[in-house]
Short mmCIF file of all heavy atoms in Angstrom, two decimals:
data_model
loop_
_atom_site.label_atom_id
_atom_site.label_comp_id
_atom_site.label_asym_id
_atom_site.label_seq_id
_atom_site.Cartn_x
_atom_site.Cartn_y
_atom_site.Cartn_z
N LEU A 367 -2.69 1.92 -18.82
CA LEU A 367 -2.16 1.54 -17.55
C LEU A 367 -3.08 2.04 -16.43
O LEU A 367 -3.31 1.30 -15.43
CB LEU A 367 -0.78 2.13 -17.37
CG LEU A 367 -0.04 1.68 -16.11
CD1 LEU A 367 0.20 0.16 -16.12
CD2 LEU A 367 1.34 2.35 -15.98
N TYR A 368 -3.61 3.22 -16.59
CA TYR A 368 -4.56 3.77 -15.56
C TYR A 368 -5.76 2.91 -15.48
O TYR A 368 -6.26 2.57 -14.39
CB TYR A 368 -4.92 5.21 -15.93
CG TYR A 368 -6.02 5.83 -15.06
CD1 TYR A 368 -5.66 6.44 -13.89
CD2 TYR A 368 -7.34 5.75 -15.45
CE1 TYR A 368 -6.68 6.97 -13.08
CE2 TYR A 368 -8.34 6.29 -14.65
CZ TYR A 368 -7.99 6.90 -13.46
OH TYR A 368 -8.98 7.42 -12.69
N MET A 369 -6.34 2.54 -16.60
CA MET A 369 -7.51 1.66 -16.66
C MET A 369 -7.24 0.31 -15.98
O MET A 369 -8.09 -0.14 -15.17
CB MET A 369 -7.95 1.42 -18.11
CG MET A 369 -8.24 2.68 -18.92
SD MET A 369 -9.85 3.39 -18.53
CE MET A 369 -9.96 4.55 -19.88
N ALA A 370 -6.10 -0.27 -16.28
CA ALA A 370 -5.77 -1.59 -15.77
C ALA A 370 -5.62 -1.53 -14.20
O ALA A 370 -6.12 -2.36 -13.48
CB ALA A 370 -4.50 -2.14 -16.38
N PHE A 371 -4.89 -0.51 -13.72
CA PHE A 371 -4.69 -0.37 -12.28
C PHE A 371 -6.00 -0.05 -11.61
O PHE A 371 -6.29 -0.52 -10.48
CB PHE A 371 -3.67 0.74 -11.99
CG PHE A 371 -2.24 0.24 -11.94
CD1 PHE A 371 -1.36 0.48 -12.96
CD2 PHE A 371 -1.80 -0.52 -10.90
CE1 PHE A 371 -0.06 0.06 -12.91
CE2 PHE A 371 -0.51 -1.04 -10.83
CZ PHE A 371 0.37 -0.72 -11.84
N TYR A 372 -6.82 0.80 -12.22
CA TYR A 372 -8.12 1.19 -11.64
C TYR A 372 -8.97 -0.03 -11.45
O TYR A 372 -9.57 -0.25 -10.37
CB TYR A 372 -8.79 2.19 -12.53
CG TYR A 372 -9.95 2.91 -11.93
CD1 TYR A 372 -10.07 3.05 -10.60
CD2 TYR A 372 -10.91 3.52 -12.75
CE1 TYR A 372 -11.18 3.74 -10.03
CE2 TYR A 372 -12.02 4.21 -12.21
CZ TYR A 372 -12.11 4.31 -10.86
OH TYR A 372 -13.19 4.95 -10.32
N ALA A 373 -9.13 -0.92 -12.47
CA ALA A 373 -9.90 -2.11 -12.42
C ALA A 373 -9.36 -3.04 -11.37
O ALA A 373 -10.14 -3.59 -10.56
CB ALA A 373 -9.96 -2.77 -13.76
N ALA A 374 -8.02 -3.24 -11.32
CA ALA A 374 -7.44 -4.19 -10.40
C ALA A 374 -7.70 -3.72 -8.94
O ALA A 374 -7.94 -4.54 -8.04
CB ALA A 374 -5.93 -4.35 -10.69
N MET A 375 -7.55 -2.41 -8.69
CA MET A 375 -7.71 -1.92 -7.34
C MET A 375 -9.16 -2.00 -6.91
O MET A 375 -9.45 -2.23 -5.72
CB MET A 375 -7.23 -0.46 -7.27
CG MET A 375 -5.72 -0.32 -7.42
SD MET A 375 -5.19 1.34 -7.39
CE MET A 375 -4.17 1.40 -5.97
N ILE A 376 -10.07 -1.75 -7.80
CA ILE A 376 -11.53 -1.91 -7.45
C ILE A 376 -11.84 -3.32 -7.07
O ILE A 376 -12.52 -3.55 -6.03
CB ILE A 376 -12.37 -1.46 -8.65
CG1 ILE A 376 -12.36 0.09 -8.83
CG2 ILE A 376 -13.85 -1.86 -8.40
CD1 ILE A 376 -13.08 0.59 -10.02
N VAL A 377 -11.32 -4.28 -7.82
CA VAL A 377 -11.56 -5.68 -7.48
C VAL A 377 -10.93 -6.04 -6.12
O VAL A 377 -11.58 -6.69 -5.28
CB VAL A 377 -10.99 -6.65 -8.59
CG1 VAL A 377 -11.03 -8.08 -8.14
CG2 VAL A 377 -11.75 -6.40 -9.90
N PHE A 378 -9.71 -5.56 -5.89
CA PHE A 378 -9.02 -5.86 -4.62
C PHE A 378 -9.76 -5.29 -3.46
O PHE A 378 -10.06 -5.98 -2.44
CB PHE A 378 -7.62 -5.29 -4.66
CG PHE A 378 -6.93 -5.31 -3.33
CD1 PHE A 378 -6.38 -6.53 -2.82
CD2 PHE A 378 -6.81 -4.19 -2.57
CE1 PHE A 378 -5.77 -6.50 -1.57
CE2 PHE A 378 -6.17 -4.17 -1.35
CZ PHE A 378 -5.67 -5.37 -0.83
#
Side-chain angles (χ1 to χ4, degrees):
L367 187 62
Y368 174 86
M369 303 282 192
F371 271 108
Y372 194 23
M375 291 176 117
I376 288 174
V377 173
F378 170 76

